[in-house]
Amino acid sequence: MSIVTDKISRRTMLAATAAGGLLTTATLAQAQKSDPIANGRGGTNPGPMNPSRIAQNPDLMVPPNTDAGSLPNLRFSFDDAHIRLSAGGWTRQVTARELGVSKDIAGVIMRLNAGGVRELHWHKAAEWAYVLYGKARITAVDANGHNFVDDVGAGDLWYFPPGIPHSIQGLDPDGTEFLLVFDDGDFDEDNTFLLSDFLKHTPPEVLAKNFGVPASSLANVPDPSALYMFPAPVPGPLGADKIAGAVEVLQSFSHRMMAQAPIKMKHGTARITDSSVFQASKTIAAALVEVEPGAMRELHWHPNTNEWQYYIQGQARMGVFAASGAARTFDFQANDVGYVPFAMGHYIENTGNTTLRYLEVFKSDHFADVSLNQWLALTPPELVRASLRVDSQFLHALRREKSPVVPA
Ligand code: MN
Ligand code: MN
């Protein structure tokens, strides 16, 4: 069964179950035509269509009745983004140019083949990373002359403060792929300060004077276009790359997120990493959330800033409440970016049949969320009853303890 058919049949089976009927050839045929019809409203869809995109966005085709008003686009897939190919790997980005609402955060997915080097460089934005695959060696030197060299693997993070020069190299056996998050939506991966670019645009006699060598020593520096991501031999053991006698940075630029004990719930987990546990990460806070099929990241919002998301595995739908009667529902697949503007209420439901795994990322030194359930549990019950006309069962079911993920 193809992915497309699988997603259509899920919706069709839900509809058939709701109608108390069986899955007939007729209902399946109707769903595969993807007509935007629900509850006697809408109409057939006789014009052009893109079935695979329709299948990925069931809540755009037939929105829940609670959707209303206008919201900005809150979803963009890395698989809809241009890829820059290099000899050492590839890179692609989702910035404010692709996802207009994301003024504060830009994302990059980068692949480095074994030995492939992302050239020594720096930039104005801070760089936070989550390793998706494989192993990498990362290096940096800070303004105090303290250095940093480490190896990272899947689930590890790094953070390079603004302006701090660094490098990344893929290791054996198959290099690495990672997500980069920059604390500036207008960041451009093609617009960083490259070591080779700096040297190419400094007069040779100045370089000679700076390094105290004849100009000929630097005559063979490659053109920056050849160096941005380039192949190189896979480096030896980490110990051999440690600079003898150098003083290490006071706060590590790497962090083992998967070594953190998760908040464990019956149908999910959450790992929260902000500057309280990863001290170097002053401008980016994150949560890695796992939600089992049918379960849901509970209704909540964030009192500090916007939320930028990266979907690692599974499929989901997110409803976003924007105040003033406006709300919209978006569907997500692996490799999608999602976004929730500051303070808007939202939930994220696992609509697939595998574990949903995604990152919540914030331009902040700390993670914070307000749980709707906890808010009401800690509000005088009679006030809640008078406000919502709820029964005792509702009041008794409220939880004083946060449960980021709630069961199906
Ligand atoms: Mn960088
Ligand atoms: Mn959230």
Side-chain angles (χ1 to χ4, degrees), residues 39-247:
N39 304 317
R41 297 189 297 160
T44 60
N45 191 11
M49 66 173 75
N50 184 334
S52 65
R53 296 192 75 79
I54 289 174
Q56 289 195 354
N57 294 286
D59 291 288
L60 293 182
M61 196 61 167
V62 182
N65 284 333
T66 45
D67 276 15
S70 290
L71 269 82
N73 176 44
L74 300 178
R75 188 195 75 112
F76 197 96
S77 173
F78 271 104
D79 286 314
D80 282 334
H82 167 77
I83 286 198
R84 173 176 178 168
L85 306 176
S86 294
W90 54 258
T91 182
R92 67 197 332 184
Q93 57 186 351
V94 173
T95 71
R97 292 172 290 279
E98 288 78 23
L99 181 63
V101 70
S102 186
K103 303 283 186 229
D104 56 344
I105 288 185
V108 167
I109 299 281
M110 187 174 285
R111 168 80 164 120
L112 290 170
N113 303 325
V117 177
R118 171 65 176 95
E119 185 188 352
L120 290 155
H121 71 283
W122 71 98
H123 32 72
K124 296 175 186 176
E127 170 179 318
W128 181 96
Y130 178 92
V131 180
L132 296 162
Y133 169 82
K135 285 187 160 61
R137 179 156 306 164
I138 52 177
T139 77
V141 173
D142 73 11
N144 299 314
H146 297 158
N147 94 320
F148 174 82
V149 184
D150 197 17
D151 286 353
V152 288
D156 290 343
L157 310 181
W158 72 73
Y159 181 90
F160 297 131
I164 296 302
H166 54 276
S167 71
I168 311 157
Q169 185 171 20
L171 298 178
D172 275 337
D174 188 33
T176 182
E177 186 176 333
F178 48 88
L179 168 71
L180 298 174
V181 171
F182 299 91
D183 61 359
D184 174 4
D186 290 322
F187 176 85
D188 186 350
E189 181 64 12
D190 298 330
N191 191 15
T192 59
F193 296 88
L194 303 176
L195 172 61
S196 59
D197 204 15
F198 195 10
L199 298 195
K200 274 283 168 191
H201 292 92
T202 303
E205 69 275 17
V206 173
L207 292 177
K209 188 183 291 183
N210 188 73
F211 291 104
V213 295
S216 59
S217 292
L218 289 154
N220 297 322
V221 174
D223 189 81
S225 62
L227 217 52
Y228 180 82
M229 298 165 77
F230 63 93
V234 176
L238 177 61
D241 260 0
K242 295 273 186 189
I243 307 296
V247 178

Side-chain angles (χ1 to χ4, degrees), residues 297 300-302 307 309 340 346 348 358 360 362 369:
R297 176 76 169 91
H300 69 283
W301 59 95
H302 303 275
E307 173 175 340
Q309 303 165 338
V340 186
H346 54 285
I348 294 146
Y358 73 97
E360 304 177 2
F362 308 87
D369 68 351

Side-chain angles (χ1 to χ4, degrees), residues 20-32:
L22 294 168
L23 184 62
T24 65
T25 311
T27 53
L28 184 60
Q30 168 151 345
Q32 283 173 340

Side-chain angles (χ1 to χ4, degrees), residues 343-391:
M344 290 188 185
H346 54 285
Y347 65 88
I348 294 146
E349 191 175 19
N350 183 339
T351 51
N353 47 27
T354 58
T355 301
L356 168 69
R357 183 177 297 117
Y358 73 97
L359 286 162
E360 304 177 2
V361 182
F362 308 87
K363 183 178 177 178
S364 177
D365 65 347
H366 69 284
F367 175 92
D369 68 351
V370 176
S371 156
L372 173 63
N373 199 317
Q374 184 181 51
W375 175 36
L376 297 180
L378 296 171
T379 297
E382 284 314 312
L383 178 56
V384 175
R385 192 196 300 274
S387 302
L388 300 177
R389 299 186 190 172
V390 289
D391 58 16

